[in-house]
Every structure is written in C-alpha cells, then in structure tokens.
C-alpha cells in the first residue's frame, strides 16, 4: 500500500504535451492518472487497489483546490467500488457513504448531485444499519439529514425527513460520548425547526424546540475551546428567541440581547467584521422591539430605538466597506423605518442640523 502512495506522490511532477507545448495539468488530473496507472500495473490485490483509490479520493475531497477535484474524487470512489472484491458488501457501503459526502460538496446551482448523494447515502444505510457500527450509522444519518435539509431549502423536499434523520443520529451521537457531533446535530435541528411553516398551533412548539436545541448545543460548546462555534450558536439563539411566538415576548427579547452580547465577545469588528455587523444588526432589531424599562413595558422605547439606529448605522458602514451591498441596503431600509418611529426632531438632532 505504501508503495502505491509513494508512486502517486511522484506522479505530481508529471507534465503533458499540450497544443502549445508543455503544460502543467491539474492536481486532480495528476492524481487520477497516477491512480489509474497504479491500478493497471501494480501487483496488488483488488482490495489493496480499492483502498489506494479511496485514500487518494479522500485527499482530493478534504482539500479541494477546485470543483474538478471533487468530481475526480467521486470518480475514484466509483472505481474503488468496482474493484472491491465480490461479497464485500459492507466495504462497498462505506465507500458509497464517503462518495455521498463528496457529492454533497459539489458546487452546483441545480440539485443533480444532491439527489445522487441522497440515493447513495440511503443505499449505504441499508447495509450499514444491518452490518456497520452504531457510529457509522449515526454519521450516515447526519449526512442524510444535511442532504435532505439542503433539498428542502431548494423546495424539493419537505423538511421533516431531515429532522427525522437528525433525531435518529442523536440516538448514538449523544452529548457525553460525541459532543462535537451532538452540537452540530442540535444546531441543524434548530435551523430545521425554524424553517418549517408556522401557520398552525404546532408552530409555537417547533419554535420552542428550536430554542431548546440551540441551548442544548451550547451545553457542549464553550467560549474558550470553541469560540467561533460558540459565537454562531449564540447569534442564532438570539435570533430564535427574538422571533419565538410566546407570551413572554419581552423576557425572550432580553434573553436574546444577552445571547448577542455573548456572540460579540468573539465577533469583533477587528477579527470578524462581517459577522460582527450581522450580530449588531440582529441586536438592533431586537432592541427596537423592546421597552426601555422591562418593568414598565408600556413606558416607551425611545432609548432602545436610538441605540438600535446607532448599531444599524455602524453595521451599514461595515457592510458597505466590505462590498455587501444587499445587506447594506436592507440595513438602510431598517434605519429609515426606525427614524420614522423616532420622529423628525430626533433625525435633525442626530444629524447636527437642528
């Protein structure tokens, strides 16, 4: 096996004659050609050749330089399945599951590869469920959930199959033994719950489940060890709390502000400017709907509206500087609405024209 991999690495120096003379070929072409050459010439078993192809495919998939690297990985996985010894049903299922993750990563505007990935992962699951380990099944279910959720976002599937797959995965990926996977699943579940239509009474329950899922993820993700994930979850928790249908609207709003402030411990204007702008814009929207005095909900929110406009103006500046024109425009519209709520005298005062 080592000899094959060494041969592959040497092949990265190959040059080919093109129409205009010597031309460097892409990494994907080099690796695929080296793999094909090794498969044809090496004195090795079919299983060893298949393993070599899998390793090269995984390398291309994990660090792709361009879209063709992913397509090359898919082709190598298919060749590896063809080379797998007869009767290696579990081995083929494992290759198929890996290939599905490669298909998920193909950048495309249509759903062709995603649909193929769904077929491959479901085919793999039929065998993995019967013969594979619990962790293999849980990982495949998690990937199936991601595929279904993406297809649901394209309005090609309902969201329920994604939720069901995530919930099956959580039977194994619990917070004690698999904290990383547990956090990912809870975050994905929350997003899936929030994407469901809330036209019936069960909508309130799904919103509450989304908040609960974000909070569950935060039981295993902390500021010190996972700062970026922590900030993302706190930002998303704030959004969920802000929009949840509840009789505790004000209480949830102030909880949302706390979540945004936690996110801003990581999302600073220096280190993560666009994420910072996203979060302060979310915070501004939340402030604009909260009373200045939580003990007096009917006492008005002049102070919060003023602070919301200030945050939105800062966010607009960041978005404009970074070329995020659509976001800057959306923030501009929000500023206009809040200024109208504040009144013309406030606009003059803030502009220095009074």
């Amino acid at each position: 096996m080592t000899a094959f991999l060494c041969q592959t690495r040497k092949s990265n120096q190959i040059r080919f004659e093109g129409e205009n003379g010597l031309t460097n070929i892409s990494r994907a072409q080099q690796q695929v050609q080296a793999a094909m050459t090794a498969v044809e010439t090496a004195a090795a078993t079919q299983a060893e050749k298949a393993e070599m192809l899998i390793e090269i495919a995984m390398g291309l998939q994990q660090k792709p330089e361009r879209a063709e690297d992913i397509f090359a990985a898919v082709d190598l996985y298919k060749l590896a399945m063809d080379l797998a010894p007869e009767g290696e049903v579990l081995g083929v299922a494992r290759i198929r599951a890996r290939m599905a993750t490669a298909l998920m990563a193909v950048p495309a505007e249509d759903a062709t590869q995603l649909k193929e990935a769904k077929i491959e992962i479901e085919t793999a699951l039929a065998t993995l469920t019967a013969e594979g380990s619990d962790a293999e099944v849980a990982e495949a279910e998690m990937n199936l959930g991601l595929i279904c959720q993406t297809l649901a976002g394209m309005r090609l599937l309902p969201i329920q199959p994604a939720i069901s797959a995530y919930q099956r995965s959580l039977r194994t990926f619990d917070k004690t033994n698999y904290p990383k996977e547990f956090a990912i699943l809870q975050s994905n579940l929350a997003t899936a719950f929030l994407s469901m239509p809330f036209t019936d009474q069960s909508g309130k329950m799904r919103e509450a489940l989304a908040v609960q899922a974000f909070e569950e993820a935060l039981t295993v993700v902390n500021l010190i060890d996972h700062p970026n994930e922590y900030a993302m979850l706190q930002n998303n928790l704030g959004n969920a709390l802000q929009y949840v249908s509840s009789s505790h609207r004000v209480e949830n709003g102030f909880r949302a502000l706390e979540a945004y402030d936690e996110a801003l411990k990581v999302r600073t204007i220096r280190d993560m400017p666009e994420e910072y702008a996203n979060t302060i814009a979310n915070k501004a929207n939340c402030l604009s709907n909260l009373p200045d005095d939580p003990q007096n909900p009917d006492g008005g929110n002049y102070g919060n509206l003023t602070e919301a406009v200030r945050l939105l103006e800062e966010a607009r500046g960041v978005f404009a500087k970074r070329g995020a024109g659509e976001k800057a425009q959306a923030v501009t519209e929000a500023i206009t609405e809040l200024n109208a709520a504040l009144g013309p005298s406030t606009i003059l005062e803030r502009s220095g024209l009074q």
Side-chain angles (χ1 to χ4, degrees), residues 92-105:
V92 169
R94 288 168 173 160
I95 299 171
R96 201 180 294 278
R98 288 195 186 102
M99 184 172 70
T101 63
L103 288 164
M104 289 165 60

Side-chain angles (χ1 to χ4, degrees), residues 274 319-332:
E274 193 156 345
F319 289 139
K321 185 176 181 180
R322 297 186 62 81
E326 289 187 7
K327 289 183 178 181
Q329 179 59 37
V331 170
T332 297

Side-chain angles (χ1 to χ4, degrees), residues 215-237:
E215 290 175 334
E216 279 291 315
L218 283 164
T219 63
V220 295
V221 172
N222 63 67
L223 176 62
I224 303 301
D225 298 324
H226 325 94
N228 291 338
E229 292 83 355
Y230 178 82
M232 180 190 70
L233 285 168
Q234 290 287 6
N235 179 77
N236 291 343
L237 172 61

Side-chain angles (χ1 to χ4, degrees), residues 47-62:
E48 289 172 334
K49 292 178 180 180
E51 185 180 349
M52 180 202 66
L53 295 176
I54 293 167
E55 290 191 21
I56 296 173
M58 290 176 66
L60 289 168
Q61 180 183 349
Q62 289 167 2

